[in-house]
Amino acid sequence: MKLNTRLHNRIRFKTWVKVVPRQGPGLLGNIEDISSAGLGIEHDRMIATGGDCHVYFMLPLDGRENIVQAHCRIASCRPIEGNRYHVGLAFVDFVSDPRATATLIESFIRHVEQTA
């Protein structure tokens, strides 16, 4: 059994994201990947792990730009090349219409996988 196997399909996707932690300043960064369980973002500042944050980002699907708002847990923060950091955010819940937002994310991931 592989220990490094992901439970959720993760796709590469680049778009903006606004992250507002409970403590400390907010940041505007770039999403690098997304799954139904969370986001991977890139930023030039280290973020403390374990805390909660609120995120806003956009998913284009079916000719619409869908704004997603979610509460997340800051799951990881590791250095990458170029004095930048990869931050892993795990979805805790969605702010507006949780079921529809979860379905939107899953539909977006399927759409990207099918058109790749």
Side-chain angles (χ1 to χ4, degrees):
M1 178 175 150
K2 288 184 181 179
L3 295 176
N4 200 15
T5 302
R6 290 197 181 269
L7 295 175
H8 305 276
N9 287 348
R10 184 170 297 265
I11 60 165
R12 297 204 47 84
F13 174 66
K14 291 191 179 260
T15 190
W16 60 269
V17 62
K18 183 172 183 173
V19 180
V20 183
R22 284 192 196 265
Q23 297 178 357
L27 61 92
L28 189 59
N30 294 306
I31 293 175
E32 295 294 315
D33 55 67
I34 184 171
S35 77
S36 60
L39 304 171
I41 69 169
E42 187 175 307
H43 199 264
D44 59 2
R45 189 173 77 222
M46 181 190 276
I47 299 175
T49 60
D52 291 337
C53 63
H54 195 87
V55 298
Y56 304 85
F57 61 96
M58 190 269 303
L59 286 181
L61 187 64
D62 297 330
R64 297 183 56 211
E65 294 181 353
N66 303 278
I67 301 296
V68 175
Q69 296 182 50
H71 291 117
C72 293
R73 180 179 51 82
I74 304 167
S76 64
C77 182
R78 61 181 168 75
I80 56 176
E81 62 186 63
N83 294 324
R84 299 193 54 84
Y85 295 87
H86 183 273
V87 180
L89 302 174
F91 293 130
V92 174
D93 59 22
F94 299 107
V95 175
S96 55
D97 201 349
R99 184 173 291 147
T101 301
T103 300
L104 169 71
I105 292 170
E106 290 169 7
S107 296
F108 177 77
I109 291 168
R110 276 194 308 277
H111 172 75
V112 171
E113 288 175 333
Q114 291 170 356
T115 58

